[in-house]
Amino acid sequence: SREVDAHIVLRESRERGCFEKLFACLVVPILRLPPFHMFHDAETLLSKIDHWTKKAKELQKNHYDVTNVFVTFETEEGQRSALAALRVGALDLARQNTSAMAPTALFQGRVLKVVVPAEPNAIRWQQMTISTARKYLQRLVTFVITLGLIGLSGFVINRARTLNSLFFSICVSTFNFIIPFVIKLLLLLERHSNEGSRQKSMYMKITLFRWSNSAILTKLITPFMNTLGDDRLDLIKSINGVLIAEMVVSPLLRLCDIMGLFRKHVMAPRAPTQELMNLNFTGTIYNLAERFTDFTKVIFLILFYSALNPNAWFIGFATLIIQYYTDKFCLMRLWTSSAYIGNELAVFNRRYFLSGALLAFAIVSSYAYAEFPYDNLCDANDGSGGEGFGRSAVPVQFWNGTVGEIGVPGTHSP
């Protein structure tokens, strides 16, 4: 077409800077490969349009069985009436129990599964035909990769902790900040029928990483006897450092809006057309799942260590307040609007992750009180000494003439 030919002529005649040439040589070839399919030139896109247009015309001749039907209503009252008339229990639906519904509510003698659909802008239309088995296999692969990232993070923060407690805290906050970008790349391997399902998958992986990175890994890499000490590498000092870093570092990184500044000051001036330049000023894309994980991470960290460090309640309160106002500012000034997914993610968070955080709080607190005061001294009736402590038997004679021995902890072995 004329528009494509004019675009090609303009592209070939335009002078490109050093940064654009370097980006085109090193990055663009990778982003053109699956599963990214980005930065294709006009010729490739035009050939793809022709190919898929012919493919669509051929597929229109085939016969297909209906799997999902979207029904629209003029009023909300009509929608609620239809849902009430077609509502049926999960067991009756699985057994196709036609006696559980009125005969007029059956469709060709079958019980239909009727649910409230996602919003139109939250439905991923091109991925609705993917089979359920394939979807779960893809999620299993990305989940295993997430576990590998947790192990790598644990190795790095363990080395950072041996160097400096401040460096350890910064590493934890930095990993928590960059993990959403890594998970977004992993989600390119997954297929979801709606945005709510994608957000839940993202939320689960980011939350698992951040909970493990902030609380669980710190507990595992800290020696037992370094739990309550005042040394810079002891557990309480490390946790306070992580909480303060979450209070300061994470909000500052969001306020800096690095990607937004890059788009506005680097990509926008180099855009070939006015429309492409305007797209760089639409705001930074955010994910509701990522914002949920920031709050649940702080809550989990407080609950996990509150028995040993009650001061975490006050630091966590200040952290949540700062994060709230930071996100409010970003939502009004920096971020673009996202798809409306309703309360699906909030219900998922409340039902599973907050309940899990409370369960972890009860279990970890009980062990914390049982292991207090974390000095690892041996029991007088135990024949083995504590970690780093000697034990000697002292003969004694009681007032009634009975002779015996008492085990006495010795000094700390060098």
Side-chain angles (χ1 to χ4, degrees):
S1 62
R2 294 182 178 179
E3 292 80 2
V4 176
D5 295 336
H7 172 77
I8 295 174
V9 172
L10 179 62
R11 183 190 64 192
E12 297 298 332
S13 61
R14 185 173 60 87
E15 295 184 0
R16 296 187 298 173
C18 179
F19 175 79
E20 188 175 356
K21 292 180 180 178
L22 186 64
F23 183 81
C25 293
L26 300 179
V27 182
V28 170
I30 299 176
L31 296 179
R32 286 177 177 175
L33 298 175
F36 305 105
H37 298 290
M38 300 170 62
F39 293 100
H40 289 295
D41 51 29
E43 299 91 327
T44 304
L45 293 176
L46 186 60
S47 63
K48 285 181 176 290
I49 291 174
D50 294 337
H51 169 75
W52 289 111
T53 301
K54 296 177 182 179
K55 189 73 173 177
K57 291 180 180 180
E58 294 176 1
L59 293 176
Q60 287 177 351
K61 302 176 183 179
N62 299 336
H63 174 75
Y64 301 96
D65 295 328
V66 176
T67 57
N68 295 280
V69 177
F70 292 89
V71 181
T72 59
F73 295 86
E74 293 292 338
T75 61
E76 186 177 356
E77 182 181 359
Q79 182 195 40
R80 293 181 179 180
S81 300
L83 290 173
L86 299 174
R87 184 182 296 116
V88 66
L91 185 60
D92 293 329
L93 177 64
R95 296 172 54 191
Q96 286 294 306
N97 185 9
T98 57
S99 61
M101 300 182 64
T104 56
L106 300 176
F107 178 77
Q108 297 181 354
R110 294 182 59 84
V111 179
L112 297 179
K113 180 182 179 181
V114 181
V115 296
V116 179
E119 293 295 322
N121 64 346
I123 297 176
R124 305 172 70 87
W125 301 98
Q126 296 179 348
Q127 300 179 8
M128 293 190 64
T129 58
I130 307 299
S131 64
T132 303
R134 182 181 174 185
K135 290 180 181 178
Y136 281 106
L137 180 61
Q138 292 170 344
R139 296 175 194 181
L140 178 62
V141 171
T142 55
F143 182 77
V144 172
I145 296 176
T146 304
L147 294 180
L149 293 174
I150 293 174
L152 178 62
S153 172
F155 173 77
V156 174
I157 65 175
N158 185 30
R159 298 298 299 270
R161 187 175 178 276
T162 59
L163 298 177
N164 187 276
S165 59
L166 178 60
F167 185 55
F168 160 78
S169 303
I170 294 176
C171 282
V172 172
S173 295
T174 303
F175 279 132
N176 289 338
F177 178 78
I178 65 176
I179 190 60
F181 301 100
V182 180
I183 297 299
K184 290 173 189 175
L185 294 177
L186 289 180
L187 288 181
L188 294 175
L189 304 175
E190 296 184 5
R191 298 295 181 266
H192 298 271
S193 58
N194 58 74
E195 187 65 22
S197 175
R198 179 178 177 273
Q199 291 289 328
K200 286 194 292 186
S201 178
M202 181 188 301
Y203 172 76
M204 182 180 65
K205 294 176 178 61
I206 297 177
T207 301
L208 178 63
F209 182 92
R210 286 179 167 175
W211 283 16
S212 302
N213 191 53
S214 300
I216 301 176
L217 290 178
T218 307
K219 176 75 171 179
L220 294 178
I221 67 177
T222 303
F224 180 80
M225 296 181 61
N226 291 352
T227 303
L228 300 179
D230 291 330
D231 190 73
R232 61 181 178 86
L233 297 180
D234 289 337
L235 181 64
I236 301 302
K237 291 281 188 178
S238 301
I239 294 304
N240 286 335
V242 171
L243 284 172
I244 293 175
E246 293 296 334
M247 182 193 305
V248 178
V249 177
S250 297
L252 283 180
L253 289 175
R254 286 200 294 275
L255 290 174
C256 289
D257 191 24
I258 299 173
M259 290 302 299
L261 292 176
F262 177 79
R263 293 175 58 195
K264 295 173 184 176
H265 297 282
V266 177
M267 298 184 64
R270 293 165 175 80
T273 62
Q274 181 69 37
E275 291 79 7
L276 292 177
M277 187 190 74
N278 293 339
L279 290 176
N280 291 308
F281 290 91
T282 56
T284 303
I285 300 175
Y286 78 98
N287 291 280
L288 191 60
E290 180 187 350
R291 307 308 327 125
F292 263 102
T293 57
D294 260 349
F295 284 93
T296 55
K297 171 190 61 182
V298 176
I299 293 174
F300 180 78
L301 191 62
I302 296 169
L303 294 175
F304 199 84
Y305 291 105
S306 60
L308 298 177
N309 186 21
N311 188 44
W313 292 104
F314 300 98
I315 302 178
F317 169 76
T319 302
L320 292 176
I321 290 295
I322 293 175
Q323 288 192 355
Y324 168 76
Y325 283 103
T326 300
D327 287 355
K328 184 178 180 180
F329 175 82
C330 294
L331 187 64
M332 299 296 179
R333 299 288 184 178
L334 301 179
W335 296 339
T336 186
S337 58
S338 61
Y340 179 74
I341 61 174
N343 63 345
E344 186 176 355
L345 192 59
V347 172
F348 182 73
N349 171 63
R350 182 178 68 250
R351 182 174 298 171
Y352 298 104
F353 284 89
L354 288 184
S355 301
L358 291 175
L359 180 62
F361 166 66
I363 296 175
V364 174
S365 296
S366 63
Y367 274 95
Y369 293 131
E371 294 171 344
F372 198 86
Y374 292 88
D375 52 10
N376 218 17
L377 288 176
C378 62
D379 189 354
N381 296 322
D382 189 5
S384 62
E387 179 184 334
F389 286 84
R391 182 179 183 272
S392 59
V394 179
V396 294
Q397 183 176 3
F398 299 96
W399 65 272
N400 60 357
T402 303
V403 178
E405 293 182 349
I406 296 180
V408 179
T411 59
H412 192 285
S413 58

